[in-house]
Amino acid sequence: MLALNEVSCFYGKVRALESISILVEDKAFVSILGSNGAGKSTVFRMISGLIVPTEGEIVFNGERINGLAPDLITRRGIIQVPEGRMLFPELTVMENLRMGAYARKDKFQINKDFEKVFQYFLRLKERKNQMASTLSGGEQQMLAIARGLMGNPKILLLDEPSLGLAPIIVKEVFSIIEEISKAEIPILLVEQNAYIALKISHYAYVLETGSITIRGDSKQLLNNEKILESYLGIKKGGE
């Protein structure tokens, strides 16, 4: 489905990513964990075509996509839900959702997808005529994800969906993300909340200062000593 093969990236003379390889197979839910500055968002910017890798290649459904313009990448079904939501604040919920489907031509299916999205996000249906700026932080994050779904993604990139949300809202948002994954939409998640990311994803990569240091089955990584200590604040043996 999506593969980054030995990809490196520089910002000027500074190496942001060094020979990283990431694979998201069909129907898979993959997480990328790491602290601020580890390079997580740079990975997404490369996949979306905002940055061109210095070395390596990015392949989607058998086609090399690094070097393609961002709009062409989006039209291939790689849909990113950006960090910070990036909604259109003076547009309504429905208008924001329509913007998510701007590149689509299948009008009949678009109308059906509105209802599908509202099944995931009942609160948005209740607020469909409200301006996005009047929604709570949690509702705005839901709208950002819903707008991404309206792009009919072949893979959904979620960039820090828990950012700035209260714990109870984080739990609600990730419960919906898990339901989306169960509908067999491949997901690549960048997230600082290691526990919740590992709990619901299938496979995970840990990114540290531009390099992948740990990779493996998410449930197994929940018992990894380094992850327990570095990301969850737990020392094995309770020390």
mmCIF file of all heavy atoms in Angstrom, residues 104 106-119 150:
data_model
loop_
_atom_site.group_PDB
_atom_site.id
_atom_site.type_symbol
_atom_site.label_atom_id
_atom_site.label_comp_id
_atom_site.label_asym_id
_atom_site.label_seq_id
_atom_site.Cartn_x
_atom_site.Cartn_y
_atom_site.Cartn_z
ATOM 1 N N ARG A 104 -13.428 15.277 -5.667
ATOM 2 C CA ARG A 104 -14.203 14.121 -6.110
ATOM 3 C C ARG A 104 -15.253 14.516 -7.151
ATOM 4 O O ARG A 104 -15.778 15.626 -7.130
ATOM 5 C CB ARG A 104 -14.897 13.455 -4.907
ATOM 6 C CG ARG A 104 -13.920 12.897 -3.902
ATOM 7 C CD ARG A 104 -14.620 12.371 -2.660
ATOM 8 N NE ARG A 104 -15.585 11.321 -2.960
ATOM 9 C CZ ARG A 104 -16.352 10.735 -2.043
ATOM 10 N NH1 ARG A 104 -16.258 11.116 -0.773
ATOM 11 N NH2 ARG A 104 -17.196 9.787 -2.402
ATOM 12 N N ASP A 106 -17.761 12.005 -7.932
ATOM 13 C CA ASP A 106 -18.867 11.049 -7.749
ATOM 14 C C ASP A 106 -19.916 11.632 -6.794
ATOM 15 O O ASP A 106 -19.991 11.275 -5.636
ATOM 16 C CB ASP A 106 -18.331 9.717 -7.227
ATOM 17 C CG ASP A 106 -17.428 9.882 -5.998
ATOM 18 O OD1 ASP A 106 -16.895 10.985 -5.783
ATOM 19 O OD2 ASP A 106 -17.275 8.902 -5.243
ATOM 20 N N LYS A 107 -20.730 12.537 -7.310
ATOM 21 C CA LYS A 107 -21.656 13.301 -6.469
ATOM 22 C C LYS A 107 -22.628 12.406 -5.697
ATOM 23 O O LYS A 107 -22.958 12.673 -4.538
ATOM 24 C CB LYS A 107 -22.424 14.308 -7.318
ATOM 25 C CG LYS A 107 -21.541 15.429 -7.857
ATOM 26 C CD LYS A 107 -22.360 16.469 -8.591
ATOM 27 C CE LYS A 107 -21.460 17.597 -9.080
ATOM 28 N NZ LYS A 107 -22.231 18.653 -9.797
ATOM 29 N N PHE A 108 -23.107 11.347 -6.333
ATOM 30 C CA PHE A 108 -24.051 10.464 -5.648
ATOM 31 C C PHE A 108 -23.402 9.827 -4.424
ATOM 32 O O PHE A 108 -23.977 9.787 -3.339
ATOM 33 C CB PHE A 108 -24.554 9.375 -6.600
ATOM 34 C CG PHE A 108 -25.484 8.384 -5.958
ATOM 35 C CD1 PHE A 108 -26.786 8.727 -5.665
ATOM 36 C CD2 PHE A 108 -25.030 7.107 -5.622
ATOM 37 C CE1 PHE A 108 -27.642 7.810 -5.058
ATOM 38 C CE2 PHE A 108 -25.875 6.195 -5.013
ATOM 39 C CZ PHE A 108 -27.187 6.548 -4.727
ATOM 40 N N GLN A 109 -22.160 9.350 -4.576
ATOM 41 C CA GLN A 109 -21.466 8.712 -3.465
ATOM 42 C C GLN A 109 -21.094 9.735 -2.398
ATOM 43 O O GLN A 109 -21.087 9.425 -1.205
ATOM 44 C CB GLN A 109 -20.205 8.008 -3.964
ATOM 45 C CG GLN A 109 -19.496 7.179 -2.890
ATOM 46 C CD GLN A 109 -20.379 6.082 -2.307
ATOM 47 O OE1 GLN A 109 -21.080 5.394 -3.052
ATOM 48 N NE2 GLN A 109 -20.351 5.924 -0.989
ATOM 49 N N ILE A 110 -20.806 10.957 -2.803
ATOM 50 C CA ILE A 110 -20.501 12.010 -1.824
ATOM 51 C C ILE A 110 -21.676 12.197 -0.883
ATOM 52 O O ILE A 110 -21.504 12.291 0.339
ATOM 53 C CB ILE A 110 -20.158 13.339 -2.546
ATOM 54 C CG1 ILE A 110 -18.783 13.236 -3.204
ATOM 55 C CG2 ILE A 110 -20.160 14.507 -1.559
ATOM 56 C CD1 ILE A 110 -18.452 14.419 -4.100
ATOM 57 N N ASN A 111 -22.880 12.236 -1.427
ATOM 58 C CA ASN A 111 -24.070 12.409 -0.583
ATOM 59 C C ASN A 111 -24.237 11.232 0.380
ATOM 60 O O ASN A 111 -24.634 11.418 1.537
ATOM 61 C CB ASN A 111 -25.317 12.571 -1.458
ATOM 62 C CG ASN A 111 -25.338 13.904 -2.186
ATOM 63 O OD1 ASN A 111 -24.814 14.897 -1.672
ATOM 64 N ND2 ASN A 111 -25.934 13.946 -3.361
ATOM 65 N N LYS A 112 -23.921 10.036 -0.086
ATOM 66 C CA LYS A 112 -23.997 8.870 0.799
ATOM 67 C C LYS A 112 -22.925 8.947 1.880
ATOM 68 O O LYS A 112 -23.154 8.535 3.027
ATOM 69 C CB LYS A 112 -23.834 7.585 -0.016
ATOM 70 C CG LYS A 112 -24.999 7.284 -0.945
ATOM 71 C CD LYS A 112 -24.766 6.015 -1.734
ATOM 72 C CE LYS A 112 -24.773 4.780 -0.844
ATOM 73 N NZ LYS A 112 -24.662 3.528 -1.628
ATOM 74 N N ASP A 113 -21.776 9.501 1.526
ATOM 75 C CA ASP A 113 -20.681 9.575 2.497
ATOM 76 C C ASP A 113 -20.947 10.579 3.604
ATOM 77 O O ASP A 113 -20.426 10.440 4.709
ATOM 78 C CB ASP A 113 -19.361 9.904 1.785
ATOM 79 C CG ASP A 113 -18.806 8.707 1.028
ATOM 80 O OD1 ASP A 113 -19.321 7.586 1.236
ATOM 81 O OD2 ASP A 113 -17.866 8.879 0.231
ATOM 82 N N PHE A 114 -21.767 11.602 3.321
ATOM 83 C CA PHE A 114 -22.171 12.498 4.409
ATOM 84 C C PHE A 114 -22.828 11.703 5.532
ATOM 85 O O PHE A 114 -22.524 11.879 6.716
ATOM 86 C CB PHE A 114 -23.149 13.572 3.904
ATOM 87 C CG PHE A 114 -22.492 14.719 3.194
ATOM 88 C CD1 PHE A 114 -22.856 15.056 1.902
ATOM 89 C CD2 PHE A 114 -21.521 15.482 3.823
ATOM 90 C CE1 PHE A 114 -22.263 16.111 1.241
ATOM 91 C CE2 PHE A 114 -20.918 16.554 3.176
ATOM 92 C CZ PHE A 114 -21.288 16.866 1.876
ATOM 93 N N GLU A 115 -23.719 10.823 5.170
ATOM 94 C CA GLU A 115 -24.427 10.034 6.174
ATOM 95 C C GLU A 115 -23.489 9.069 6.884
ATOM 96 O O GLU A 115 -23.606 8.836 8.088
ATOM 97 C CB GLU A 115 -25.594 9.273 5.531
ATOM 98 C CG GLU A 115 -26.740 10.182 5.096
ATOM 99 C CD GLU A 115 -27.208 11.092 6.228
ATOM 100 O OE1 GLU A 115 -27.416 10.598 7.359
ATOM 101 O OE2 GLU A 115 -27.341 12.307 5.980
ATOM 102 N N LYS A 116 -22.548 8.496 6.129
ATOM 103 C CA LYS A 116 -21.585 7.583 6.742
ATOM 104 C C LYS A 116 -20.738 8.320 7.781
ATOM 105 O O LYS A 116 -20.491 7.820 8.882
ATOM 106 C CB LYS A 116 -20.682 6.986 5.663
ATOM 107 C CG LYS A 116 -19.749 5.892 6.167
ATOM 108 C CD LYS A 116 -18.766 5.453 5.094
ATOM 109 C CE LYS A 116 -19.467 4.864 3.894
ATOM 110 N NZ LYS A 116 -18.489 4.346 2.888
ATOM 111 N N VAL A 117 -20.303 9.532 7.430
ATOM 112 C CA VAL A 117 -19.500 10.345 8.351
ATOM 113 C C VAL A 117 -20.302 10.696 9.594
ATOM 114 O O VAL A 117 -19.787 10.648 10.720
ATOM 115 C CB VAL A 117 -19.004 11.621 7.621
ATOM 116 C CG1 VAL A 117 -18.566 12.679 8.618
ATOM 117 C CG2 VAL A 117 -17.853 11.283 6.689
ATOM 118 N N PHE A 118 -21.559 11.013 9.417
ATOM 119 C CA PHE A 118 -22.391 11.383 10.563
ATOM 120 C C PHE A 118 -22.683 10.179 11.463
ATOM 121 O O PHE A 118 -23.021 10.352 12.637
ATOM 122 C CB PHE A 118 -23.691 12.032 10.096
ATOM 123 C CG PHE A 118 -23.521 13.440 9.584
ATOM 124 C CD1 PHE A 118 -24.224 13.885 8.466
ATOM 125 C CD2 PHE A 118 -22.661 14.322 10.215
ATOM 126 C CE1 PHE A 118 -24.070 15.170 7.996
ATOM 127 C CE2 PHE A 118 -22.491 15.626 9.752
ATOM 128 C CZ PHE A 118 -23.195 16.041 8.631
ATOM 129 N N GLN A 119 -22.552 8.981 10.926
ATOM 130 C CA GLN A 119 -22.676 7.797 11.786
ATOM 131 C C GLN A 119 -21.504 7.704 12.754
ATOM 132 O O GLN A 119 -21.660 7.266 13.889
ATOM 133 C CB GLN A 119 -22.757 6.533 10.924
ATOM 134 C CG GLN A 119 -24.087 6.380 10.195
ATOM 135 C CD GLN A 119 -24.098 5.176 9.266
ATOM 136 O OE1 GLN A 119 -23.181 4.356 9.273
ATOM 137 N NE2 GLN A 119 -25.127 5.072 8.455
ATOM 138 N N MET A 150 -14.219 12.565 4.010
ATOM 139 C CA MET A 150 -14.982 12.974 2.836
ATOM 140 C C MET A 150 -14.112 13.011 1.576
ATOM 141 O O MET A 150 -14.631 13.082 0.467
ATOM 142 C CB MET A 150 -15.625 14.350 3.068
ATOM 143 C CG MET A 150 -16.798 14.326 4.033
ATOM 144 S SD MET A 150 -18.139 13.204 3.538
ATOM 145 C CE MET A 150 -18.577 13.873 1.932
#
